[in-house]
Amino acid sequence: MFEFGRTHVVRPKGRHQATIVWLHGLGDKGSGWSQLLESLPLPNVKWICPTAPTRPVSLFGGFPCTAWFDAQDITEDAPDDLEGLDASAAHVANLLSTEPADIKLGIGGFSMGAATALYSATCHIFGQYGNRNPYLVNLSSVVGLSGWLPCSKTLRNRMEGSNETVRRAASLPILLCHGSGDDVVAYKHGEKSARVLSSAGFQNLTFRSYEGLGHYTIPEEMDEVCRWLTARLGLQGS
């Protein structure tokens, strides 16, 4: 498979209560988000910002750039690169696996990073990756900004018949945010992803829309992320 790039870590300024892996968007790198995350008023959070492998991306005619998986199109109808998704979800799980037992674990991301975070959420509830290998990380929160849900067409069918899966889905807190003016990942894809997750049984899901916001983040949105994480993870502040 492809080699992952450099990982940037933002250490907690206060008592360490939670560790969140944050995943950048297509063509970006971990350092692109680490500075913003370091400025947030969340002293109890350790942020881990990995960098995706550089790989050919079908969306760009095979031109190589940093990507968590191969994307032919940024919609929920595009074919899913399960091998790439599994590899990135496993890389993230590996980064979280060495955290102390009393630390709450989360995954967040922007755009393609948000898609990878949501894919990880589905691995968590099934207890396995798409390739059936066991997924062993216990997630306490998932945040997706300006993203979409991979493998959305098969989600509900895969959940039928497993009480444990349904229980995990109902209790996993997810925050999705999307701008109505997004011209890269259209707002309708974010909204549909939230609908699919809700109807599949993810009952602890919050969807926030931002009027006129394009494919980027704003302080108002990051304030919402901070408030939500503080409440869901029971963070104590400084």
Side-chain angles (χ1 to χ4, degrees):
M1 286 301 286
F2 301 99
E3 198 176 319
F4 289 84
R6 189 172 162 207
T7 297
H8 297 259
V9 177
V10 178
R11 307 228 165 260
K13 297 176 183 72
R15 187 167 80 81
H16 184 197
Q17 288 182 274
T19 297
I20 299 171
V21 172
W22 191 272
L23 305 171
H24 63 74
L26 185 61
D28 200 358
K29 48 188 192 286
S31 59
W33 277 89
S34 61
Q35 287 162 311
L36 171 62
L37 297 170
E38 189 164 16
S39 72
L40 298 180
L42 293 171
N44 310 111
V45 176
K46 172 184 172 183
W47 299 96
I48 303 177
C49 305
T51 299
T54 298
R55 56 184 298 154
V57 176
S58 300
L59 186 65
F60 300 146
F63 186 82
C65 71
T66 53
W68 299 109
F69 52 91
D70 186 33
Q72 295 189 21
D73 189 11
I74 299 186
T75 69
E76 65 275 5
D77 297 324
D80 292 296
D81 170 22
L82 270 177
E83 203 178 345
L85 282 160
D86 275 348
S88 288
H91 183 69
V92 172
N94 197 36
L95 290 170
L96 289 169
S97 66
T98 52
E99 291 300 295
D102 60 335
I103 299 299
K104 290 180 175 169
L105 307 177
I107 305 175
F110 174 77
S111 192
M112 182 182 250
T116 308
L118 288 175
Y119 181 75
S120 296
T122 63
C123 294
H124 160 72
I125 66 148
F126 291 122
Q128 60 181 22
Y129 297 93
N131 62 15
R132 302 282 188 264
N133 287 344
Y135 186 88
L136 303 173
V137 174
N138 186 26
L139 296 179
S140 295
S141 66
V142 174
V143 177
L145 311 182
S146 311
W148 71 96
L149 173 67
C151 308
S152 63
K153 293 193 288 290
T154 58
L155 180 62
R156 199 192 277 181
N157 287 349
R158 283 182 68 203
M159 285 181 68
E160 280 170 8
S162 167
N163 292 340
E164 178 62 15
T165 299
V166 171
R167 187 188 64 73
R168 283 189 192 171
S171 63
L172 177 65
I174 298 180
L175 172 66
L176 298 181
C177 303
H178 218 106
S180 66
D182 196 323
D183 55 354
V184 178
V185 181
Y187 176 78
K188 65 179 181 185
H189 297 313
E191 194 180 36
K192 185 174 178 186
S193 296
R195 270 206 315 273
V196 169
L197 286 164
S198 293
S199 67
F202 286 82
Q203 295 168 22
N204 199 346
L205 183 140
T206 304
F207 182 72
R208 291 273 182 271
S209 58
Y210 293 85
E211 188 58 42
L213 178 66
H215 198 64
Y216 48 88
T217 187
I218 49 171
E220 185 190 347
E221 185 180 49
M222 294 314 293
D223 289 347
E224 175 73 25
V225 170
C226 289
R227 280 195 303 272
W228 186 87
L229 284 172
T230 299
R232 292 302 182 279
L233 299 176
L235 303 177
Q236 288 173 331
S238 49

